[in-house]
Amino acid sequence: MKRYPFNEITTMQYICLNSGIQMSVFFLAMPRILAEKAGTDGWIALIIGWIITVAASLVVIQVMKKHPDGTLFDLLTRYLGKWTARVTASLFVLYLFYYAYTGIVQAVLITKAWLLPQTSASTVMLLLLIPTYVITGNGLRILARYAELVFIISCWIPVVYLLPLKDAHWLNLLPLLKEGWKPVFSAVPTTFFSYIGFATTFILYPFLKNKQKASSIIMISDTLTMFGYLFITLICFVYYSPDEIQKYNEPMVNILESIEFKFIERMEILFIAFFLLIFSLAWIPAMYLGVYSTSWLLGKQDHRNHFRILWLFLAVGTFFFMPTFNQSDRMNELLRKIGFGIEYVFPSCLLIYLWMHNRFKWRKNL
């Protein structure tokens, strides 16, 4: 009997959720960061990072196959005891809340910089938290449908980004590996920040309808994320010169200034407003999964009371402190380091432990 029949999510919804968590507000600056690390060869680092991410994602799936009807915390309770599971759940709560906070802070800063420069940060935060409350309070199925809707109505965006290619300089990409492999490999750790978020599968897996194809599904999701990053990175690389691209903090937004329509004066303003929907797929799922984890810790079925506390904390806390862009960049760097440990290292260590546990148990039963 299924434990979560009323919160099951379809294959498409999972792909949208996972890709949305990965490809969110952080992708605006990705072309510049890669150019600083590896020049116009930075796109190669994206592909290498994708290969490593797919491998790590498949490890997560293999771990969850050991206990398909429960989350990571249920699996750890079964194999390592309830206190290990509680400690892990607590760490995941902190990680997910920090992930959500960095995402919504970045969205607030970008909204103030491009859309509402005269509006206080606390007001912008409140405006973003209101729809967050509505979506998160209605459970995973509504959240999954929201992610699916955002994905569908965003399909036209790549078409618009093809317009600047009329002024593209494809020779910017040549020659390949201008300075060898060293700069490319040095940029690979940066790409991990672009892909983190797939560890939410530890919690989402039992809700997935078609678990038999989970490996293929997560590979499709990671590949979709990679193509999104690769698409916008290559466009920025061929439009801007290798030195010019490093002058823009968010080249993905600045490139829109070259697009002109008679009925729209500033295309980038329209896109930033629309991008908020995509950005929200960073903090809304992370908040939901974070309060779901706190509910598991306390043995509660309803996560909404926990979310109300978090919501009030963010709404009120912004009146007293709001990070700057520099502080936000340092927060993102810390998130990358923590995310690497939780999403790439931890699943591999856990899979090795489970393999050894089952192997020794089998030998003991002989």
Side-chain angles (χ1 to χ4, degrees):
M1 182 177 177
K2 296 182 178 180
R3 294 179 60 184
Y4 308 102
F6 300 109
N7 272 321
E8 283 188 329
I9 57 177
T10 64
T11 296
M12 182 63 179
Q13 288 171 345
Y14 173 79
I15 291 173
C16 295
L17 266 175
N18 191 65
S19 293
I21 292 172
Q22 293 174 319
M23 186 183 290
S24 52
V25 65
F26 311 117
F27 74 98
L28 293 183
M30 179 52 59
R32 172 184 58 81
I33 296 172
L34 290 175
E36 291 173 348
K37 295 283 187 179
T40 52
D41 291 325
W43 64 272
I44 303 176
L46 274 174
I47 297 178
I48 298 174
W50 165 73
I51 295 172
I52 298 173
T53 299
V54 168
S57 301
L58 292 176
V59 169
V60 173
I61 297 298
Q62 292 305 312
V63 169
M64 295 310 299
K65 284 182 178 179
K66 305 294 183 182
H67 192 66
D69 295 325
T71 65
L72 171 68
F73 315 134
D74 300 313
L75 181 146
L76 291 176
T77 301
R78 175 183 174 184
Y79 284 94
L80 290 169
K82 66 176 182 179
W83 288 110
T84 302
R86 287 181 175 276
V87 170
T88 305
S90 300
L91 293 176
F92 260 77
V93 167
L94 295 175
Y95 173 63
L96 290 168
F97 284 168
Y98 185 66
Y99 189 101
Y101 183 67
T102 55
I104 198 168
V105 163
Q106 193 83 354
V108 169
L109 293 173
I110 290 174
T111 302
K112 275 186 58 63
W114 289 91
L115 299 178
L116 303 170
Q118 303 301 321
T119 307
S120 66
S122 56
T123 302
V124 176
M125 176 69 80
L126 185 61
L127 291 173
L128 296 179
L129 285 175
I130 291 174
T132 300
Y133 180 85
V134 174
I135 296 169
T136 304
N138 283 283
L140 180 60
R141 180 170 290 183
I142 298 301
L143 174 60
R145 289 174 179 173
Y146 172 73
E148 191 174 24
L149 174 64
V150 171
F151 177 83
I152 292 172
I153 64 177
S154 302
C155 290
W156 59 275
I157 292 179
V159 178
V160 177
Y161 273 95
L162 292 174
L163 297 178
L165 290 182
K166 64 180 185 297
D167 300 317
H169 302 281
W170 294 96
L171 292 178
N172 289 346
L173 299 176
L174 299 176
L176 293 177
L177 302 174
K178 304 173 187 59
E179 300 179 13
W181 284 98
K182 185 176 180 181
V184 174
F185 286 128
S186 69
V188 171
T190 303
T191 66
F192 293 151
F193 183 62
S194 309
Y195 294 114
I196 60 172
F198 62 87
T200 53
T201 304
F202 277 132
I203 303 175
L204 292 174
Y205 186 85
F207 300 99
L208 187 61
K209 273 187 178 181
N210 196 354
K211 295 183 180 65
Q212 295 80 7
K213 297 182 179 179
S215 297
S216 301
I217 293 170
I218 201 167
M219 287 179 65
I220 293 171
S221 176
D222 291 338
T223 303
L224 185 64
T225 302
M226 184 271 293
F227 277 131
Y229 280 119
L230 192 61
F231 174 78
I232 193 60
T233 297
L234 287 175
I235 286 180
C236 289
F237 280 179
V238 299
Y239 183 81
Y240 294 112
S241 68
D243 295 326
E244 185 183 10
I245 192 174
Q246 300 183 35
K247 298 178 182 178
Y248 299 104
N249 193 48
E250 290 105 13
M252 184 178 174
V253 179
N254 295 101
I255 199 173
L256 294 170
E257 296 175 354
S258 64
I259 303 174
E260 296 182 358
F261 291 108
K262 293 181 180 180
F263 53 90
I264 299 177
E265 184 175 354
R266 296 188 63 185
M267 176 66 74
E268 69 275 12
I269 300 299
L270 174 64
F271 265 70
I272 286 292
F274 188 85
F275 280 161
L276 287 176
L277 291 173
I278 303 175
F279 299 163
S280 67
L281 295 182
W283 73 79
I284 296 180
M287 284 185 183
Y288 172 81
L289 295 174
V291 295
Y292 175 88
S293 301
T294 60
S295 300
W296 184 91
L297 272 171
L298 299 176
K300 304 292 185 181
Q301 294 294 327
D302 192 354
H303 68 279
R304 286 175 292 186
N305 288 332
H306 299 178
F307 179 67
R308 292 185 184 107
I309 296 173
L310 176 64
W311 193 93
L312 288 172
F313 179 79
L314 289 174
V316 175
T318 310
F319 281 96
F320 301 98
F321 174 72
M322 182 65 197
T324 63
F325 272 107
N326 290 334
Q327 291 171 330
S328 178
D329 289 340
R330 289 194 290 270
M331 289 167 56
N332 292 340
E333 179 63 23
L334 177 61
L335 178 63
R336 181 181 68 82
K337 295 177 180 178
I338 298 173
F340 179 78
I342 290 180
E343 308 211 17
Y344 290 85
V345 178
F346 170 70
S348 300
C349 295
L350 182 57
L351 183 63
I352 292 172
Y353 171 81
L354 294 175
W355 178 81
M356 293 177 64
H357 178 276
N358 291 333
R359 186 174 180 83
F360 285 128
K361 185 178 180 180
W362 175 75
R363 284 187 174 183
K364 187 176 180 180
N365 292 333
L366 287 178

